[in-house]
Short mmCIF file of all heavy atoms in Angstrom, two decimals:
data_model
loop_
_atom_site.label_atom_id
_atom_site.label_comp_id
_atom_site.label_asym_id
_atom_site.label_seq_id
_atom_site.Cartn_x
_atom_site.Cartn_y
_atom_site.Cartn_z
N LEU A 711 29.38 58.09 -62.87
CA LEU A 711 29.43 58.94 -64.08
C LEU A 711 28.54 60.11 -63.86
O LEU A 711 28.85 61.24 -64.30
CB LEU A 711 29.01 58.12 -65.30
CG LEU A 711 28.96 58.88 -66.66
CD1 LEU A 711 30.37 59.45 -66.95
CD2 LEU A 711 28.51 57.94 -67.79
N SER A 714 29.87 63.35 -62.35
CA SER A 714 30.81 64.21 -63.16
C SER A 714 30.13 64.94 -64.28
O SER A 714 30.69 65.69 -65.01
CB SER A 714 31.95 63.36 -63.67
OG SER A 714 31.47 62.41 -64.64
N ARG A 964 36.13 72.96 -72.76
CA ARG A 964 37.18 72.17 -72.10
C ARG A 964 37.12 70.74 -72.59
O ARG A 964 36.02 70.20 -72.86
CB ARG A 964 36.94 72.24 -70.62
CG ARG A 964 37.10 73.64 -70.07
CD ARG A 964 36.75 73.64 -68.56
NE ARG A 964 37.63 72.75 -67.82
CZ ARG A 964 37.47 72.50 -66.52
NH1 ARG A 964 36.45 73.07 -65.89
NH2 ARG A 964 38.24 71.63 -65.93
N PRO A 965 38.24 70.04 -72.69
CA PRO A 965 38.23 68.70 -73.15
C PRO A 965 37.53 67.83 -72.08
O PRO A 965 37.63 68.07 -70.84
CB PRO A 965 39.75 68.34 -73.29
CG PRO A 965 40.43 69.32 -72.39
CD PRO A 965 39.57 70.64 -72.44
N VAL A 966 36.92 66.77 -72.55
CA VAL A 966 36.24 65.84 -71.64
C VAL A 966 37.28 65.05 -70.82
O VAL A 966 38.24 64.51 -71.38
CB VAL A 966 35.37 64.88 -72.42
CG1 VAL A 966 34.64 63.88 -71.45
CG2 VAL A 966 34.31 65.64 -73.26
N PRO A 967 37.18 65.04 -69.48
CA PRO A 967 38.14 64.35 -68.70
C PRO A 967 38.25 62.86 -69.10
O PRO A 967 37.23 62.28 -69.43
CB PRO A 967 37.62 64.52 -67.25
CG PRO A 967 36.78 65.73 -67.30
CD PRO A 967 36.15 65.73 -68.68
N ARG A 968 39.39 62.31 -68.90
CA ARG A 968 39.62 60.92 -69.35
C ARG A 968 38.74 59.98 -68.47
O ARG A 968 38.19 58.98 -68.94
CB ARG A 968 41.08 60.59 -69.14
CG ARG A 968 41.47 59.18 -69.63
CD ARG A 968 42.96 59.04 -69.68
NE ARG A 968 43.35 57.70 -70.13
CZ ARG A 968 43.55 56.68 -69.35
NH1 ARG A 968 43.44 56.78 -68.08
NH2 ARG A 968 43.89 55.45 -69.89
N GLY A 969 38.61 60.26 -67.15
CA GLY A 969 37.78 59.45 -66.33
C GLY A 969 36.36 59.37 -66.76
O GLY A 969 35.69 58.34 -66.71
N ARG A 970 35.86 60.55 -67.21
CA ARG A 970 34.46 60.59 -67.68
C ARG A 970 34.30 59.83 -68.94
O ARG A 970 33.31 59.13 -69.13
CB ARG A 970 34.01 62.05 -67.92
CG ARG A 970 32.53 62.16 -68.27
CD ARG A 970 32.15 63.59 -68.64
NE ARG A 970 32.41 64.55 -67.50
CZ ARG A 970 32.14 65.82 -67.65
NH1 ARG A 970 31.72 66.35 -68.77
NH2 ARG A 970 32.39 66.63 -66.57
N ARG A 971 35.26 59.86 -69.84
CA ARG A 971 35.21 59.10 -71.07
C ARG A 971 35.19 57.61 -70.79
O ARG A 971 34.45 56.82 -71.40
CB ARG A 971 36.37 59.46 -72.00
CG ARG A 971 36.28 60.87 -72.51
CD ARG A 971 37.23 60.98 -73.77
NE ARG A 971 38.57 60.62 -73.49
CZ ARG A 971 39.54 61.41 -73.09
NH1 ARG A 971 39.27 62.69 -72.91
NH2 ARG A 971 40.73 60.96 -72.95
N LEU A 972 36.05 57.24 -69.82
CA LEU A 972 36.14 55.79 -69.52
C LEU A 972 34.82 55.34 -68.81
O LEU A 972 34.32 54.22 -69.11
CB LEU A 972 37.28 55.56 -68.59
CG LEU A 972 38.69 55.71 -69.18
CD1 LEU A 972 39.76 55.50 -68.05
CD2 LEU A 972 38.91 54.72 -70.30
N GLY A 973 34.28 56.19 -67.95
CA GLY A 973 32.99 55.80 -67.35
C GLY A 973 31.89 55.73 -68.34
O GLY A 973 31.07 54.82 -68.24
N ALA A 974 31.84 56.63 -69.28
CA ALA A 974 30.76 56.56 -70.28
C ALA A 974 30.91 55.36 -71.14
O ALA A 974 29.96 54.68 -71.48
CB ALA A 974 30.82 57.83 -71.15
N ALA A 975 32.14 55.00 -71.53
CA ALA A 975 32.40 53.78 -72.28
C ALA A 975 32.00 52.55 -71.57
O ALA A 975 31.42 51.62 -72.08
CB ALA A 975 33.88 53.73 -72.72
N ALA A 976 32.33 52.51 -70.26
CA ALA A 976 31.96 51.31 -69.44
C ALA A 976 30.46 51.17 -69.31
O ALA A 976 29.90 50.10 -69.42
CB ALA A 976 32.64 51.40 -68.09
#
Side-chain angles (χ1 to χ4, degrees):
L711 179 60
S714 65
R964 296 176 59 185
V966 179
R968 185 169 181 268
R970 186 186 298 180
R971 293 199 303 269
L972 292 176

